[in-house]
Amino acid sequence: MAGSVLGEIFKISTWGESHGKALGVVVDGCPAGIELSEEDIQVYLDRRKPGRNAFTTNRKESDQVEILSGVFEGKTTGTPISLVVFNKDQRSKDYSQIANCYRPGHADYTFDKKYGFRDYRGGGRSSGRETIGRVAAGAIACKVLKELGIEFMAYTKSIGEIEIKTFDKSVIARDPLSMPDTEASKKAQEYLEKIRKEQDSAGGVIECRINHLPVGIGNTVFDKLDANLAKAMFSLGSVKGFEIGDGFNVSSMRGSENNDNFILKDGKIAKETNHSGGILGGMSDGDEVVFRVAIKPTPSISRPQKTVTISGEETTIEIHGRHDPVIAPRAVVVVESMAAITVLDLLLSNMCSSIDKIKKVYSE
Ligand SMILES: Cc1cc2nc3c(=O)[nH]c(=O)nc-3n(C[C@H](O)[C@H](O)[C@H](O)COP(=O)(O)O)c2cc1C
């Protein structure tokens, strides 16, 4: 199946199904000499693991990663890095009810029509478990970028109508909904309990910030930084909106409000404000990159819904498998990972953007 490869230099191929034997990723183009252990990757996978709290699916998976290749004596060798996570808690019978009809809001109908066949055990490649490979690759990208001081931070900005009002970075990691505002998180947890009793699900917004990105990352025309980030985010199941900086609000602003004036700060060019979200002309402008993604409510809900069988009869469906009542908090680390993969690939391609840079490399 085409469509599982991303990137030009730092290139990832994810593989595996929700209820297959294993899932994983092959990362090609990772520079040699980066210290890399299974623990480095595990920290990221543990952030996306199911069953961590009351608001994730209760599927019990340890999601233990194994490095199969590309690392020797604790360092990357510059050859393909192959990573695998074996599935442990597949219960395909949970999905027998959906084998013969299409789940509203999921990918069943389109998969069936496109391929004439689908893996109905948890959605196969359209399952949220496919993101395991992305997060494992993202952990490597983050490690490489950290060497250059580039840092990523994502968090849940809102769930349903409940939005953060304050920002405390230190609480994000321990908050069950990955929110930086404990009060907003409490309200969101009450809301989730309520909608769960009503056999329903909730959507949310994730915000991501990238710091210390040098000016000029992103290629003009088709490979702009914002265009690539948008593609990376929309490649995630359940993402229905993407915006950079002031995003959709720019449509009601004036030029004088939206433009970020240039100033000199300690003798260096800087911007007075950051309405641009750190990207101008498709390239990083040296400011913090800020973007948001809108995540739809989990499509699999236990409330009865109308649908049609694969043989064309109308019926109702109640989905009782193991599903997240809200996707956004689990997708936070996935968003961070996809951002890191995208930035690293463009950062590597930026190294040959001018003859001066090429000379600098080969003069050594
Ligand atoms: C991290 C993550 C976890 C997800 N968990 C679930 C889930 O438990 N149940 C479900 O129905 N969909 C889940 N999804 C969403 C589906 O994968 C997605 O809605 C489906 O593939 C249809 O694609 P679309 O929403 O982009 O149209 C999850 C997505 C992500 C990124």
Side-chain angles (χ1 to χ4, degrees):
M1 191 193 298
S4 293
V5 181
L6 182 73
E8 295 291 327
I9 301 177
F10 186 83
K11 195 175 262 196
I12 68 160
S13 311
T14 72
W15 56 268
E17 290 83 30
S18 162
H19 285 58
K21 203 166 184 178
L23 299 119
V25 65
V26 177
V27 178
D28 204 3
C30 180
I34 308 287
E35 278 183 19
L36 187 69
S37 66
E38 285 170 352
E39 288 71 41
D40 290 327
I41 299 163
Q42 199 59 50
V43 175
Y44 282 73
L45 287 175
D46 286 351
R47 287 172 62 199
R48 69 98 304 131
K49 201 157 79 171
R52 280 169 55 234
N53 60 55
F55 304 105
T56 66
T57 158
N58 56 10
R59 180 169 171 166
K60 298 276 179 294
E61 290 285 358
S62 58
D63 285 351
Q64 282 297 317
V65 70
E66 287 177 42
I67 300 177
L68 301 183
S69 68
V71 178
F72 181 62
E73 293 183 337
K75 286 191 177 166
T76 56
T77 56
T79 59
I81 303 171
S82 188
L83 305 172
V84 64
V85 167
F86 286 95
N87 285 321
K88 298 267 160 63
D89 190 21
Q90 311 98 307
R91 282 187 232 156
S92 299
K93 67 177 168 49
D94 281 351
Y95 294 96
S96 50
Q97 50 172 341
I98 56 164
N100 292 318
C101 59
Y102 304 120
R103 283 171 297 175
H106 220 292
D108 306 340
Y109 173 67
T110 41
F111 253 76
D112 236 10
K113 289 293 159 198
K114 184 177 173 74
Y115 299 104
F117 170 75
R118 90 189 128 102
D119 181 348
Y120 52 79
R121 306 162 306 163
R125 290 290 285 161
S126 65
S127 161
R129 277 189 78 66
E130 181 273 332
T131 61
I132 282 177
R134 301 168 184 246
V135 172
I140 299 176
C142 283
K143 185 117 206 233
V144 179
L145 291 166
K146 213 170 170 191
E147 299 249 342
L148 303 167
I150 300 164
E151 284 174 358
F152 295 77
M153 175 179 55
Y155 45 86
T156 307
K157 188 174 170 66
S158 66
I159 286 180
E161 300 279 304
I162 302 150
E163 193 173 322
I164 56 165
K165 298 270 183 289
T166 59
F167 191 92
D168 180 354
K169 186 181 168 185
S170 69
V171 302
I172 300 172
R174 61 173 188 270
D175 184 77
L177 300 177
S178 297
M179 285 178 128
D181 174 349
T182 309
E183 276 310 302
S185 175
K186 272 188 204 146
K187 283 187 196 151
Q189 289 171 50
E190 283 162 21
Y191 171 66
L192 288 174
E193 290 295 356
K194 181 175 170 288
I195 61 155
R196 193 163 30 197
K197 281 190 194 124
E198 293 167 5
Q199 298 173 286
D200 224 329
S201 60
V205 170
I206 296 172
E207 190 162 66
C208 183
R209 296 171 178 270
I210 310 172
N211 271 288
H212 314 299
L213 198 56
V215 181
I217 304 304
N219 298 321
T220 52
V221 191
F222 297 121
D223 269 333
K224 292 177 174 171
L225 174 57
D226 37 7
N228 276 279
L229 283 172
K231 178 177 175 178
M233 298 308 143
F234 277 119
S235 75
L236 290 168
S238 77
V239 168
K240 296 295 148 188
F242 174 80
E243 57 177 23
I244 296 261
D246 285 3
F248 274 77
N249 285 339
V250 297
S251 61
S252 58
M253 290 168 92
R254 293 169 178 235
S256 55
E257 292 171 306
N258 182 247
N259 288 345
D260 300 305
N261 294 334
F262 286 109
I263 51 165
L264 284 177
K265 213 172 172 181
D266 304 324
K268 288 188 180 149
I269 297 177
K271 285 155 50 214
E272 226 170 15
T273 49
N274 191 20
H275 299 291
S276 73
I279 302 179
L280 283 172
M283 293 164 274
S284 52
D285 65 16
D287 225 326
E288 184 179 57
V289 172
V290 186
F291 69 84
R292 286 168 290 283
V293 294
I295 311 265
K296 76 181 191 182
T298 318
S300 301
I301 51 175
S302 56
R303 175 187 282 225
Q305 300 173 89
K306 284 200 278 186
T307 188
V308 172
T309 64
I310 49 174
S311 49
E313 289 140 11
E314 284 188 339
T315 184
T316 53
I317 182 172
E318 290 172 31
I319 303 159
H320 292 293
R322 297 159 297 166
H323 299 281
D324 298 296
V326 60
I327 293 167
R330 279 191 69 210
V332 162
V333 66
V334 189
V335 164
E336 221 175 275
S337 300
M338 291 306 290
I341 291 163
T342 305
V343 165
L344 178 57
D345 191 40
L346 289 172
L347 189 126
L348 293 174
S349 89
N350 186 52
M351 287 167 64
C352 53
S353 64
S354 74
I355 189 68
D356 288 347
K357 286 180 186 159
I358 296 169
K359 276 184 183 165
K360 217 170 171 178
V361 171
Y362 287 104
S363 64
E364 281 166 9

